[in-house]
Amino acid sequence: ATGVDQAVGMSIVVFSLLLFTYYSVWVIVLPFVDSDHILHKYFLPREYSVILPGIAAVILLLCIFMWKNRKPKKVD
């Protein structure tokens, strides 16, 4: 793999780790922190912790469904 491929791959891994850490703190740790704590201002309301992954799952399933049902191009 080229250097650009490795840089893109590493950036995707770092982004995924940051997103996982943020979501884990939001869902697992934040319910046990007092609601007036300063940490709460860095996170959306708890309802979004279910809504956002649900929307992402629906979009992913739509993309998979559209990919599986695409028609192959005709070669003349």
Side-chain angles (χ1 to χ4, degrees):
T2 65
V4 174
D5 292 339
Q6 290 178 348
V8 169
M10 185 57 70
S11 63
I12 291 172
V13 168
V14 168
F15 175 76
S16 298
L17 285 172
L18 287 173
L19 187 64
F20 175 76
T21 304
Y22 179 85
Y23 187 78
S24 297
V25 169
W26 185 23
V27 172
I28 297 171
V29 175
L30 215 58
F32 299 105
V33 177
D34 290 334
S35 60
D36 58 345
H37 195 274
I38 195 166
L39 188 64
H40 279 277
K41 79 175 194 176
Y42 297 108
F43 295 90
L44 291 172
R46 229 177 289 152
E47 296 83 28
Y48 290 104
S49 67
V50 175
I51 294 170
L52 293 177
I55 291 172
V58 168
I59 291 172
L60 178 66
L61 289 174
L62 271 171
C63 290
I64 291 171
F65 179 75
M66 289 171 55
W67 181 262
K68 293 278 186 183
N69 290 328
R70 66 185 165 92
K71 296 182 180 178
K73 294 181 180 178
K74 293 183 179 180
V75 178
D76 292 330

